[in-house]
Structures are given as C-alpha cells and as structure tokens.
Amino acid sequence: MSLSFLNRFSSFTYLNITQFLGALNDNIYKLLIVYFFIQLEGMEYSHQILASTGATFVIPFLLFSAISGTLADRFSKRDIIVTTKIFELVIMGLAVCAFAFQSKWGSYMVLFLLATQSAIFGPSKYGIVPELVSKEKISKANGLMTSFTFLAIILGTFLASFLIQITGRNFIISAIFCTFIGLVGLVTSFRIEPTPPSGSEKKFQFFFLREIYQSLKLARQEISLLPAMCGSAFFLFVGAFTQLNIIPFAVQSLQLSDIQGGYLFFLTALGIGTGALIAGKVSGKIVELGLVPFGALGISACAFMLDSFSTHLLLVIPFVTLLGVFGGIFEIPLDSYIQVASPKQSRGQMVAATNFMSFIGVLCASTLIYLNSEVFGLDSDKGFTIIGILSLLVMFAYTYQFFDYFTRFIASILSKLHFRTHFIGRENIPDCPALYVCTHRAWNDTLLLLGSQRRRMRFFIENEQKHSSLWMKRLYKLLRVVFIANIEPLAKNQECLTAIQNTLKKGISVCIFIENKDIFTEVEKLHQTAPFNQILEAANYPIIPVRIEKGIKQPRFPVFKRLLKKFHVPASVTFDHIVYSGHEELLVARHEHELCN
C-alpha cells in the first residue's frame, strides 16, 4: 500500500469525523430548541414550533447555497471546511448565552447562524470527496459518509433527549456540551490534507435564484444529472417530514411523551445509515441507479404501514426503521451520481444547486406539517399516507427515467441466480465505453447482455425480429432501442452512426444487434468501413464481438479448447468472460490489438 494512498485514506477519515461532529451538533441543537420552545409554550403548540424551527433552519440554505457553491469552486475546499468549523465554535458559544437568558429570538438567531454555517460547509464537504478518494471508491466513500451522517442524526436525536433527561431540562449544560463537540470538530478539520482550488474563475452572483437556474440548466446537459438532483431533494423532503412529524405522531397515536418521540426517530436514522451501507456494498465500484426505484417503493410501503398500524408500537418500530433503510438505498446512488456526473469545475455549483432544491424540500416538509394540523385538521399518522402516495408517484417516475439502469440491475440479479460466471483475462474488460456487436436471435438477448455488464448500455437493432410482440416493443421503447432500417446498410446510415458516436461520448456502451451469424466477419467489415473507424479512433473505443449460444446443459469450463474450436475463434482473440448455465451461455471476445488502455 503506497504512502499516498495512506494519506488519502487518512484525509477522508478526518473529513468523515469532521462532518460527523458537525451533523451531530446540528441535530442536538435543533432538537434542544424544540424541547426549549415546548417548555416555554406548551405541547399543544408542537406543530407550530416544529414548522417554525424547520423553516428557520432551511432559509439559510436557500439564501446561501449558490454563493457557497461558488466558494467551493473558486477556493480550496479544505480551507473552507476549516473556516466554517471556526464559525461553528463561535455559534455554539452564542447558543449558551441564548439559553442562559431564555431568549426565544436569540435561540432562533443561533439556529439561523448554525444553518448558515452548514450551508457554506455542504458543497465543500461533498465536493472534496472525489479529490480525496479514487473514482472507483466514490460510491463506497459516499455510503460511509452518509452512514456516519445518519449515525450523527441517531446520536444527536438520542443525546438531545438524553441530555434533557439527565440534566433536568438544563439547556445551558446541553449547549456547553455542543460547544465541546464544535471544538473537537475544529481540531479534526486541520488534519484534512490541503487541496488546490478547482480552477474556476466564476464571479459571485448575489441574485442566487439566477445562479441556481444556470446550474440547473447546466445539469440538463449531463445525462440523468438533473433527475438525480431532484431525487436527492425528494429524499430530504421525506427525511425532514419524518423528523418533524415523529414527535406529534408519538404523542397522538402511541401516547408517548415528546422526549420518547425523540428517541423513536433515531430508529429511522439508524435505518438510513444501514441502507446507505447496503447501497454502497451493492453498488461496488459503480453508481447503481437501478436501486433508486426499489428504494422509493420501500419508502412508500413503509409509510402506508405506519398509518395503518399507527397505534401498535411493536409494529411501528420495525416500519420506522425500514423506512430509513429504504431511504438510504434510495439516496446513496443519487448522491454518488451527482458527484461523478458533475463537471469538475462546476461540481461545487451542482452540489449547491442540489442543496438548494433539497432544502426547498425541507421547507415543503415544514409547510406540509403546518397544513396537515392547522388547515386540514389531520392527525399526524395521516401525514405518512401522504408521503406514501408521493413516494409511489416518484417510484413510477424514476422507473421510467432510469429504466435502462433498472433493467440492467434486474438482469444482473437474474443472471447471477441463473448463470455460472467464469472470467478469463479479467484485466481485459474495458473500463471505458465499448462497442459490442452481437447476433440477434432471441427476445432475451438484450437482457443477457445487460445482465453481464456493470455499465449502462444502449441497443441498436438491425432488424425488428418476428418475435417482437407488443410487450417486447414496449420494453424496447423503454430501453431506448434504436432500430436500423433494412433499406440502408448500417455503415452508410449516417443518422445511426451519429447516434452511436453521441452515445459513446456520453460514457454509455453500445450494442449493435445484427442478423449475420458470422459475427467475426461482420466485425472485420465494420473495421474496414471509414465512418466506423472514425468513431472508434476518436476516443479509442474497443470493439467487442459477442456470441450467444444455446443448448449447453452442463458447465464445461475445463474443456475450454473445445469451445474455441466450436466457435471457430482465431488465435488472436482473447475472452473477457464466459457465462454458463443449464440452458444458455454468453461468450464475449475481443481482439488483443483493440484492448482499451
């Protein structure tokens, strides 16, 4: 293990500790303020208190997210992190004073300043991750960071309730404890390795709505980036609503105290941390957007169950926890994709725009809490039904938006259950987009190819097969399949060639399904075609002949030479991987001189 790797690992660890302590302070103080105001005004005003504190905390994110994104792109993210931690320490000192004088408006001001510090901290915290870890570890790093964030929410929720209990509602001692946490966070921030500015020369625009609009407009140019940002905002909406609604829910439906309701929410945070780890583990070295619809469906189901069994504590506990688990599964792929897909010089802006949208979601959550109780007169358990309905709509929307990711993920699961996979020359499997050429014979060819890949793939089919029923045509439409007209050869079809080139440029692999059974001859023809050579040479895309055969009843890996002879493969071809099963086998081959560096 190299010294540079150890340094990077150490810096990411200190970053994780720093952001953990910051999130811990945020959540302790937010709940302390709620308990403080409930003590001053009474439990009957809990909905108004929760709505007002939620809105106060979110306003700085709306005002300063754009500016903080520009800061993160222009200056060293590490320096910004250290500066914000100094600011946090000062704010915690003011919190002690606000509680000492029992100042309601002073407490609101401290909450506003703490949110301002977090708003400035956010883009640098997430934007610095790709500078501290390698690309293939970003999903795991985000999973770990999110797990620690929600561990902070767990401990913050618990400690706020615990401190109030053991100190006899002494808010001054609790605020001093928060000041100590801020001091430790400042010390750990100094251990993060210095990072250079990203090189952006973008000027500050104090008309932040225009800045956010420009960032969202830029996000539309990157494939699936804007939907990922919207999904991240929806997650924070659900999380904020659950956090704000759980205390009234516990009091009204379960006859618990406000402090006991605070203890209940830490189960949701525990679930989110667990879901984040699961998502990071499943994603591995890639960003697995196919998990997003699953997460949304799980959130919807758990929300409906919380309303249906709202008076049964033993059932509420697992459903509250699972709500968090599915939330983590929903969120991690989206956050990872935002970091990977955002242009490097605009990454801070993208994170800032995501924060802006996310805290619009938090503001909507506060508004929904107020409307449910004060306008519509609904009990708190009915709020979870509303969340269930909204999550179900989001599930359908993201199943359509990420259908190729979703189908690839389903196909990969089915292929692992149905096939035995052996790798030969694993190092030859390309990390970059590739051009696959395959004979199209059966309806499930697309699913077989999707299941064998970890990269997004787009299909170009030379001729629509007779087996293409109505439901298959709908599947092809959702997969964005491009059909190639018979009247014009592919090599001369400029429209298809342009589409193939644009798809590869976006980082998506291309599979061309052809009718010719002699796949290697077809590949040689493509190599001899000038337009195709221009596409391949433009970015050194490898071309991979693929052959799918049926009828193998037993795995015959030891007799590999017989397979070579069976497929009439020349000696110049090496095999990336072979997939066997009792019914089918997938054979992927590449020419050695076309390997992707």
Side-chain angles (χ1 to χ4, degrees):
M1 188 178 293
S2 66
L3 182 61
S4 62
F5 175 79
L6 288 173
N7 288 337
R8 286 188 173 189
F9 179 79
S10 178
S11 286
F12 174 72
T13 300
Y14 284 117
L15 171 67
N16 211 0
I17 294 172
T18 301
Q19 69 88 25
F20 166 80
L21 294 172
L24 182 65
N25 244 353
D26 286 351
N27 285 278
I28 292 175
Y29 188 74
K30 280 194 297 183
L31 202 50
L32 286 178
I33 285 227
V34 170
Y35 292 143
F36 178 62
F37 289 159
I38 287 176
Q39 179 175 289
L40 291 178
E41 300 180 13
M43 186 63 208
E44 62 272 19
Y45 293 100
S46 62
H47 286 100
Q48 295 95 318
I49 290 169
L50 289 162
S52 62
T53 54
T56 302
F57 190 78
V58 76
I59 288 173
F61 288 93
L62 303 181
L63 294 176
F64 305 121
S65 286
I67 296 174
S68 62
T70 304
L71 278 171
D73 288 333
R74 289 195 60 174
F75 302 102
S76 167
K77 297 178 181 64
R78 185 261 189 185
D79 292 346
I80 294 173
I81 289 171
V82 171
T83 303
T84 55
K85 298 310 289 184
I86 295 173
F87 187 29
E88 179 186 346
L89 189 60
V90 174
I91 295 169
M92 288 299 101
L94 293 175
V96 175
C97 297
F99 285 138
F101 289 98
Q102 292 196 344
S103 172
K104 181 177 178 180
W105 292 109
S107 298
Y108 272 124
M109 182 193 72
V110 170
L111 183 62
F112 182 89
L113 292 174
L114 188 63
T116 301
Q117 177 267 338
S118 296
I120 298 172
F121 178 68
S124 295
K125 173 182 73 172
Y126 286 110
I128 201 175
V129 172
E131 299 177 25
L132 299 180
V133 303
S134 56
K135 184 176 180 180
E136 63 270 14
K137 294 178 181 176
I138 287 178
S139 285
K140 288 186 177 180
N142 280 314
L144 188 62
M145 183 175 283
T146 302
S147 295
F148 270 76
T149 299
F150 286 100
L151 177 60
I153 296 173
I154 295 166
L155 292 178
T157 304
F158 170 79
L159 286 173
S161 302
F162 181 71
L163 287 170
I164 293 303
Q165 274 193 324
I166 65 170
T167 62
R169 291 185 177 262
N170 191 319
F171 294 95
I172 298 175
I173 295 177
S174 302
I176 292 173
F177 180 77
C178 291
T179 305
F180 174 75
I181 293 174
L183 178 62
V184 177
L186 174 61
V187 172
T188 57
S189 69
F190 283 112
R191 298 294 299 168
I192 302 171
E193 69 181 45
T195 58
S198 299
S200 173
E201 297 181 357
K202 188 174 182 61
K203 296 181 179 180
F204 292 99
Q205 295 187 21
F206 292 94
F207 297 101
F208 62 92
L209 291 178
R210 184 177 180 182
E211 178 79 7
I212 294 297
Y213 172 75
Q214 291 176 349
S215 297
L216 296 179
K217 190 175 180 180
L218 179 62
R220 287 189 61 186
Q221 299 175 12
E222 301 294 330
I223 188 168
S224 298
L225 180 55
L226 185 58
M229 295 165 70
C230 293
S232 183
F234 178 76
F235 166 78
L236 206 57
F237 163 75
V238 173
F241 182 87
T242 303
Q243 187 177 34
L244 295 173
N245 197 51
I246 202 73
I247 291 178
F249 173 77
V251 172
Q252 293 177 3
S253 299
L254 299 171
Q255 284 74 53
L256 301 176
S257 68
D258 57 341
I259 295 177
Q260 290 171 330
Y263 283 128
L264 186 62
F265 178 71
F266 91 87
L267 293 174
T268 304
L270 177 64
I272 293 174
T274 304
L277 286 176
I278 293 172
K281 184 69 174 178
V282 172
S283 297
K285 295 182 179 181
I286 69 163
V287 177
E288 186 57 83
L289 287 176
L291 288 171
V292 174
F294 281 110
L297 180 61
I299 291 171
S300 178
C302 291
F304 285 130
M305 292 299 102
L306 283 174
D307 185 14
S308 300
F309 301 99
S310 59
T311 59
H312 299 80
L313 180 61
L314 293 180
L315 292 177
V316 165
I317 288 174
F319 286 131
V320 162
T321 306
L322 285 174
L323 179 69
V325 171
F326 285 110
I329 292 173
F330 178 84
E331 169 71 354
I332 286 301
L334 295 172
D335 275 354
S336 299
Y337 188 80
I338 292 167
Q339 291 177 344
V340 171
S342 298
K344 182 178 180 180
Q345 292 189 349
S346 304
R347 187 173 288 138
Q349 288 177 250
M350 293 302 148
V351 174
T354 303
N355 286 345
F356 180 85
M357 295 172 65
S358 296
F359 285 96
I360 285 288
V362 175
L363 189 61
C364 290
S366 297
T367 303
L368 183 58
I369 289 288
Y370 180 80
L371 291 176
N372 280 350
S373 62
E374 301 303 318
V375 178
F376 302 118
L378 298 176
D379 291 335
S380 298
D381 57 343
K382 301 306 176 187
F384 286 114
T385 293
I386 296 173
I387 292 297
I389 294 171
L390 294 176
S391 298
L392 197 61
L393 295 175
V394 167
M395 186 272 292
F396 285 120
Y398 278 88
T399 299
Y400 177 78
Q401 175 65 38
F402 297 147
F403 189 78
D404 45 355
Y405 288 108
F406 178 69
T407 307
R408 191 214 59 76
F409 179 65
I410 294 294
S412 67
I413 294 175
L414 294 177
S415 66
K416 287 177 182 178
L417 295 174
H418 190 62
F419 295 110
R420 297 183 182 180
T421 305
H422 302 280
F423 290 90
I424 301 173
R426 185 188 294 267
E427 69 279 1
N428 294 330
I429 299 176
D431 292 329
C432 61
L435 180 66
Y436 296 82
V437 182
C438 179
T439 303
H440 187 33
R441 295 181 178 178
W443 69 269
N444 60 352
D445 290 344
T446 51
L447 300 183
L448 284 171
L449 263 295
L450 283 171
S452 68
Q453 305 296 309
R454 294 304 303 271
R455 180 177 288 276
R456 195 176 187 184
M457 181 177 285
R458 187 65 48 80
F459 294 94
F460 291 74
I461 300 181
E462 190 174 61
N463 185 27
E464 188 173 0
Q465 304 294 306
K466 295 179 181 179
H467 59 255
S468 295
S469 60
L470 180 61
W471 71 271
M472 276 302 301
K473 291 177 181 178
R474 290 175 178 171
L475 175 63
Y476 285 158
K477 185 176 180 180
L478 289 171
L479 287 172
R480 282 79 164 175
V481 169
V482 177
F483 292 104
I484 305 168
N486 291 333
I487 58 175
E488 189 175 12
L490 175 60
K492 297 181 180 180
N493 191 327
Q494 189 58 47
E495 184 178 351
C496 281
L497 291 177
T498 301
I500 290 171
Q501 187 174 25
N502 292 336
T503 301
L504 290 168
K505 285 181 178 179
K506 291 176 181 178
I508 303 173
S509 291
V510 168
C511 178
I512 301 174
F513 278 124
I514 60 175
E515 292 189 315
N516 192 345
K517 295 181 180 180
D518 190 352
I519 193 71
F520 296 103
T521 301
E522 201 66 34
V523 169
E524 290 299 328
K525 288 181 180 178
L526 291 176
H527 266 298
Q528 296 170 7
T529 305
F532 254 97
N533 279 332
Q534 292 176 1
I535 292 175
L536 297 176
E537 293 173 1
N540 194 27
Y541 300 117
I543 184 168
I544 304 175
V546 179
R547 185 133 179 201
I548 300 175
E549 292 289 333
K550 298 181 179 180
I552 303 298
K553 295 183 179 181
Q554 297 294 332
R556 292 185 291 176
F557 184 71
V559 291
F560 184 61
K561 291 182 179 179
R562 294 182 184 177
L563 284 175
L564 295 179
K565 184 177 180 181
K566 172 185 174 181
F567 290 122
H568 307 289
V569 178
S572 63
V573 173
T574 58
F575 291 84
D576 288 335
H577 52 281
I578 303 174
V579 183
Y580 297 89
S581 78
H583 304 288
E584 298 173 304
E585 66 181 6
L586 176 64
L587 183 71
V588 179
R590 303 238 316 279
H591 290 283
E592 288 180 339
H593 65 276
E594 293 160 359
L595 299 182
C596 181
N597 295 324

